[in-house]
C-alpha cells in the first residue's frame, strides 16, 4: 500500500473535515463542509460523500489509488455492522453510515469513535509518538477519551471504551448529558468552564470576561494568560478536577503518556502545572513516577490523521 493514499474523515457536530493522506501520514489535501446535523443523517452522509468524491478525484489526478476511508464519528461506532450506534451531538441512533456512503464509493469504509481516532493520530505522529500505553483526553464541549494499550487501540467490547468524561468525580455535582451527576465532563469541559465564568459574572466578580458577549473557553484561557483572577481560578479549579480524573486513569492503566487535546490544552503551564500536581497527588506512587502529561500536537488534524491510520491498521 506504499504508493496508495488514504482518506481520513473527521465528522464533528459542527464541521466535517476530510484529508487525503499518504502512508506516512502527510496530509496532501484537505476539505471541509458544515455538518448541518439538523438536516438528518442521509443529508450529512451525502456531504461526506461529496468530500470523499473530491479527494478521490485529487488522488486520481495525481495518478494514485485510494486504499480506503476511515471515519471518526462523535459517538459510538459499531464497526461490524458499519453503523453509528449513538451520536448525541448529531441526534443519531443506529444510523447505517457505511451503507449510506457505500452508495457513492466502492472503497472500504472503517468507522471509529472520534476520540479513539485522535488517539491513534497522536500516537502515530503527534505527542504520543513511540508511546505503548497512552491515554488521550480531549477537552471540548464534552470530554472524550481514547486508549492505546500494549501498542494497540483498545475500543472495548462494543466500541465504547475510554469514556473518561463520564467517570463520576462528584456524586452531587451538576447533571450530565448521560443522566448521571458530577461526571468529569460536567466539571472540567469547555462547557463547564464557561458555566463557571458566567456564575462568577452573575455574582458580580470583577473580570474582563464580563465584557464578552458569547463567552467561550478560549476567552477564559486568554484572560487567564492576561492574569485575570477569575479566569485563573476557573482554570485552576478545572485543572484540579481533571487531575482527579487523571489520577483514576493513571491507577487503572499505568500509562507512559497522557495526551491532553482540545482548545483548552493550549493554555500551557497555567493548566498543566496544577494538572500534573493534582494527578500525581491522586495516583499511586509507582504509576505516577513514569507518566508524562503533555499537550496534543496535531491540533485539528488529529482526527483525520487517526482515521487514516485506522485504514492502514485494518488493511494490513
Ligand atoms: Zn456523564
Amino acid at each position: 500500500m506504499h504508493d496508495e493514499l488514504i482518506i481520513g474523515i473527521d465528522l464533528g457536530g459542527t464541521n466535517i473535515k476530510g484529508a487525503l493522506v499518504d502512508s506516512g501520514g502527510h496530509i496532501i489535501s484537505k476539505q471541509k463542509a458544515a455538518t448541518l446535523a439538523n438536516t438528518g443523517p442521509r443529508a450529512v452522509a451525502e456531504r461526506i460523500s461529496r468530500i470523499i468524491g473530491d479527494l478521490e478525484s485529487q488522488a486520481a489526478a495525481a495518478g494514485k489509488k485510494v486504499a480506503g476511508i476511515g471515519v471518526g464519528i462523535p459517538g459510538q461506532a459499531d464497526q461490524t455492522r458499519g453503523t453509528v450506534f449513538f451520536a448525541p451531538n448529531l441526534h443519531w441512533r443506529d444510523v447505517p453510515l457505511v451503507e449510506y456512503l457505500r452508495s457513492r464509493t466502492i472503497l472500504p469504509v472503517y468507522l471509529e469513535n472520534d476520540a479513539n481516532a485522535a488517539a491513534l493520530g497522536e500516537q502515530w505522529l503527534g505527542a504520543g509518538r513511540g508511546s505503548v500505553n497512552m491515554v488521550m483526553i480531549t477537552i471540548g464541549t464534552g470530554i472524550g477519551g481514547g486508549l492505546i494499550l500494549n501498542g494497540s487501540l483498545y475500543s472495548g467490547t462494543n466500541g465504547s471504551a475510554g469514556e473518561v468524561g463520564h467517570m463520576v468525580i462528584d456524586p452531587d455535582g451538576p447533571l450530565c448529558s448521560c443522566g448521571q451527576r458530577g461526571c468529569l465532563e460536567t466539571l472540567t469541559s469547555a462547557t463547564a468552564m464557561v458555566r463557571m465564568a458566567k456564575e462568577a459574572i452573575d455574582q458580580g466578580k470583577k473580570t474582563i470576561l464580563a465584557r464578552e458577549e458569547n463567552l467561550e473557553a478560549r476567552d477564559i484561557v486568554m484572560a487567564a494568560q492576561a492574569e485575570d483572577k477569575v479566569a485563573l481560578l476557573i482554570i485552576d479549579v478545572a485543572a484540579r478536577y481533571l487531575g482527579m480524573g487523571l489520577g483514576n486513569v493513571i491507577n487503572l492503566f499505568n500509562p507512559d503518556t497522557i495526551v491532553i487535546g482540545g482548545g483548552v490544552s493550549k493554555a500551557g503551564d497555567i493548566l498543566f502545572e496544577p494538572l500534573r500536581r493534582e494527578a500525581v497527588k491522586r495516583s499511586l506512587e509507582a504509576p505516577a513516577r513514569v507518566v508524562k502529561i503533555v499537550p496534543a500536537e496535531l491540533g485539528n488534524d488529529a482526527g483525520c490523521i487517526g482515521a487514516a491510520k485506522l485504514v492502514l491498521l485494518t488493511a494490513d
Side-chain angles (χ1 to χ4, degrees):
M1 126 148 29
H2 284 300
D3 50 356
E4 283 183 319
L5 302 177
I6 313 144
I7 291 173
I9 301 283
D10 183 8
L11 171 60
T14 311
N15 289 305
I16 305 163
K17 283 170 271 182
L20 186 64
V21 172
D22 70 16
S23 57
H26 305 104
I27 294 179
I28 290 157
S29 170
K30 284 196 216 183
Q31 293 268 330
K32 193 171 157 182
T35 307
L36 307 175
N38 57 353
T39 57
R42 270 186 189 276
V44 172
E46 188 56 38
R47 280 187 281 282
I48 299 174
S49 289
R50 225 172 294 153
I51 289 178
I52 292 171
D54 283 352
L55 295 172
E56 277 190 80
S57 317
Q58 288 175 32
K64 305 248 179 173
K65 280 191 179 163
V66 177
I69 302 160
V71 185
I73 56 112
Q76 290 139 26
D78 184 335
Q79 285 95 336
T80 46
R81 290 167 57 227
T83 59
V84 174
F85 175 69
F86 182 43
N89 294 339
L90 304 175
H91 306 288
W92 285 12
R93 237 177 224 287
D94 272 322
V95 170
L97 183 60
V98 172
E99 187 189 310
Y100 290 170
L101 298 178
R102 179 71 63 238
S103 63
R104 294 298 184 113
T105 180
I106 55 159
L107 294 171
V109 180
Y110 306 98
L111 301 184
E112 186 51 81
N113 168 268
D114 54 1
N116 290 355
L120 276 178
E122 288 289 343
Q123 187 216 16
W124 187 21
L125 298 166
R129 279 187 312 273
S131 171
V132 177
N133 297 308
M134 186 196 105
V135 180
M136 165 111 197
I137 295 179
T138 308
I139 305 170
T141 313
I143 288 194
L147 305 173
I148 308 275
L149 301 176
N150 292 326
S152 306
L153 180 68
Y154 177 75
S155 35
T157 305
N158 69 352
S160 64
E163 291 286 357
V164 291
H166 297 284
M167 94 179 41
V168 176
I169 299 289
D170 176 2
D172 302 315
L175 194 64
C176 184
S177 61
C178 75
Q180 304 279 349
R181 278 193 178 277
C183 292
L184 184 62
E185 77 172 36
T186 69
L187 301 166
T188 189
S189 60
T191 319
M193 287 185 219
V194 169
R195 189 194 61 230
M196 285 188 257
K198 285 183 176 159
E199 283 166 5
I201 294 165
D202 287 346
Q203 288 162 11
K205 301 247 168 74
K206 210 171 140 273
T207 166
I208 54 173
L209 295 170
R211 282 188 239 142
E212 297 291 339
E213 279 200 2
N214 294 310
L215 195 61
E216 290 180 44
R218 85 174 114 177
D219 301 318
I220 301 171
V221 169
M222 275 157 59
Q225 282 161 343
E227 295 187 9
D228 181 270
K229 288 218 167 63
V230 168
L232 280 168
L233 185 67
I234 291 168
I235 300 273
D236 194 58
V237 169
R240 276 189 289 131
Y241 279 126
L242 187 58
M244 280 181 215
L246 293 197
N248 290 325
V249 164
I250 290 166
N251 286 345
L252 262 182
F253 299 112
N254 185 198
D256 54 64
T257 310
I258 296 178
V259 179
I260 309 287
V264 175
S265 67
K266 297 191 182 81
D269 288 347
I270 299 170
L271 174 75
F272 280 87
E273 272 182 15
L275 177 58
R276 290 187 184 111
R277 210 181 313 128
E278 190 73 19
V280 166
K281 198 171 105 188
R282 299 278 176 181
S283 48
L284 297 169
E285 196 187 334
R289 203 186 300 157
V290 291
V291 69
K292 282 184 296 177
I293 301 170
V294 293
E297 288 177 6
L298 301 181
N300 288 332
D301 293 333
C304 286
I305 291 176
K309 178 70 180 176
L310 192 67
V311 177
L312 287 179
L313 290 172
T314 318
D316 271 354

